Amino acid sequence: AQKITQTQPGMFVQEKEAVTLDCTYDTSDQSYGLFWYKQPSSGEMIFLIYQGSYDEQNATEGRYSLNFQKARKSANLVISASQLGDSAMYFCAMREDGGGSNYKLTFGKGTLLTVNP
Amino acid sequence: NAGVTQTPKFRVLKTGQSMTLLCAQDMNHEYMYWYRQDPGMGLRLIHYSVGEGTTAKGEVPDGYNVSRLKKQNFLLGLESAAPSQTSVYFCASSYYRTGPGELFFGEGSRLTVL
């Protein structure tokens, strides 16, 4: 079974609108972390936002927020007021903190976001 | 302000040739990782290291070997390259003592095996 599922291969949004990128995860660990990365067409991996499993508040970083629904095992990324520069591939990832995890991240397959002017 | 540096950035190999990708980080991170990225597959972990002198297999280790003789360096080797190893390879490091422990990535190395 996939540990990270991103069901939207591609998404389109109009500039200045908000967009939600979906991510569901599967783990039996009680302690884990969820990450979102952005990969523009230039190829580099840019860390956006982090949510710990014990964090009660949803994480926010500027225009990025993480809609964390623990019972549903979802960690959706919300981008407010989209900009043309937000066009990129977005990856959701999870770190399981149980014994022997060694802090490695498991990535989803990604969602390609296109922001239209 | 180097962070994580990968060399080479591009390489073309013939089937059966060998090569080594070098990853160097200057952040004193304990953990280092090699991922490969293929279209529609996301990033998949090849091998990783939790400290100098230690390595472990990830999700897709076959056909690759690694070494971490120095804390700052993590080498990925292909002994006999195959076309299936055509991919973009990313090295990453992390320091999971304070903060979220996000991965810091290199710029990637694009490898083509003919």
Side-chain angles (χ1 to χ4, degrees):
Chain A
Q2 289 186 42
K3 292 201 172 188
I4 295 288
T5 302
Q6 295 181 252
T7 58
Q8 307 152 314
M11 288 280 287
F12 293 89
V13 66
Q14 287 298 121
E15 194 177 7
K16 300 181 183 178
E17 293 185 350
V19 63
T20 298
L21 306 183
D22 294 341
C23 173
T24 58
Y25 59 91
D26 182 27
T27 182
S28 56
D29 285 0
Q30 295 301 308
S31 177
Y32 51 90
L34 297 157
F35 301 78
W36 279 92
Y37 280 83
K38 172 184 178 181
Q39 186 181 44
S41 58
S42 52
E44 72 267 32
M45 295 289 290
I46 301 168
F47 166 64
L48 294 178
I49 196 166
Y50 165 81
Q51 178 86 39
S53 59
Y54 293 117
D55 295 339
E56 295 185 353
Q57 300 288 330
N58 285 343
T60 60
E61 289 288 346
R63 294 185 299 110
Y64 304 107
S65 61
L66 200 154
N67 185 0
F68 181 46
Q69 299 189 37
K70 197 169 183 176
R72 294 186 177 184
K73 293 189 174 179
S74 74
N76 297 340
L77 177 70
V78 180
I79 305 175
S80 63
S82 297
Q83 302 173 355
L84 296 178
D86 294 334
S87 293
M89 182 71 83
Y90 289 82
F91 292 100
C92 179
M94 175 175 64
R95 185 193 62 234
E96 296 172 284
D97 296 334
S101 72
N102 291 317
Y103 313 123
K104 52 189 184 290
L105 265 61
T106 301
F107 286 81
K109 295 183 178 182
T111 295
L112 181 62
L113 176 67
T114 302
V115 180
N116 294 317
Chain B
N1 196 14
V4 179
T5 304
Q6 295 180 226
T7 53
K9 299 288 191 297
F10 302 92
R11 185 74 188 269
V12 178
L13 289 177
K14 294 182 179 179
T15 298
Q17 287 185 320
S18 64
M19 74 158 295
T20 300
L21 294 173
L22 170 63
C23 177
Q25 53 95 3
D26 61 1
M27 296 173 283
N28 201 34
H29 285 173
E30 295 178 9
Y31 309 112
M32 296 188 74
Y33 313 84
W34 276 107
Y35 286 88
R36 62 177 288 174
Q37 182 180 15
D38 303 291
M41 300 297 291
L43 279 77
R44 293 181 293 169
L45 183 64
I46 305 171
H47 286 281
Y48 64 98
S49 168
V50 300
E52 181 178 322
T54 73
T55 63
K57 293 180 179 180
E59 181 186 354
V60 288
D62 293 343
Y64 305 95
N65 56 76
V66 288
S67 65
R68 189 150 179 220
L69 300 179
K70 294 183 179 180
K71 186 177 183 179
Q72 63 268 32
N73 295 338
F74 195 29
L75 279 64
L76 178 70
L78 286 72
E79 290 186 349
S80 180
S84 61
Q85 294 178 304
T86 293
S87 188
V88 179
Y89 292 85
F90 284 97
C91 177
S93 68
S94 71
Y95 182 70
Y96 186 45
R97 295 284 179 90
T98 58
E102 74 271 27
L103 300 190
F104 293 77
F105 282 88
E107 295 180 339
S109 297
R110 184 175 293 275
L111 174 64
T112 301
V113 183
L114 302 175

